[in-house]
Amino acid sequence: MAEKIDKEQVKKVAKLSRLELQESEIEEFTGQLEAILEYVEKMNELDTENIKPLAHCLPVSNVFRDDVVKESLGTEKTLANAPKKDEMYFLVPKILDDNSGA
C-alpha cells in the first residue's frame, strides 16, 4: 500500500499552493488526502489487461459552427469600459524593461 500522508506533507503542499491553513484544517485535509490515496490504491487491484485506453468515458466529438462575418464593435464601444485609454488605444502597464538585450 502507498505511504501514509502526514501533517508535514500537507503543510508543504499548502505552502507550495500559497495557502495559510489552521491546525484544524491541516488535520482535516490530512485525513481527506489519505482517504483519496487509499481509494486510488484500490483501483490498482482492478484487472485492466484487456481494457482499451480512453480519453473520455462518453463518446465526444467536436461540434464546429460556421464562421460568420459580423460588423465589429468599433473603437468607441471597444474602449468604453477600458480602465485607461489614450484616444484610440488601451493603456497597459509596461512589462518590459529597457535592458531587454536588444
Side-chain angles (χ1 to χ4, degrees):
M1 185 157 148
E3 195 175 308
K4 292 241 182 223
I5 296 289
D6 61 16
K7 289 182 185 180
E8 293 307 313
Q9 289 171 315
V10 173
K11 288 178 183 178
K12 182 178 180 179
V13 171
K15 182 179 179 181
L16 292 171
S17 303
R18 290 182 167 78
L19 297 173
E20 293 181 21
L21 300 178
Q22 302 297 320
E23 191 62 34
S24 61
E25 293 172 315
I26 293 170
E27 290 279 341
E28 181 181 358
F29 292 141
T30 301
Q32 289 177 352
L33 289 171
E34 183 62 34
I36 291 168
L37 289 179
E38 285 176 9
Y39 183 76
V40 171
E41 187 68 29
K42 281 186 178 185
M43 295 178 76
N44 287 331
E45 298 171 11
L46 296 173
D47 178 20
T48 58
E49 188 67 31
N50 296 318
I51 307 295
K52 293 180 184 176
L54 55 98
H56 200 281
C57 62
L58 299 173
V60 177
S61 61
N62 286 333
V63 179
F64 294 104
R65 63 172 173 76
D66 292 334
D67 287 334
V68 178
V69 178
K70 295 181 179 179
E71 191 174 323
S72 69
L73 290 176
T75 306
E76 192 173 306
K77 276 189 178 180
T78 302
L79 293 172
N81 292 322
K84 293 183 180 180
K85 56 189 170 191
D86 180 20
E87 294 180 28
M88 296 177 43
Y89 305 99
F90 290 100
L91 289 177
V92 296
K94 182 177 179 180
I95 59 169
L96 300 175
D97 61 14
D98 292 337
N99 300 322
S100 61

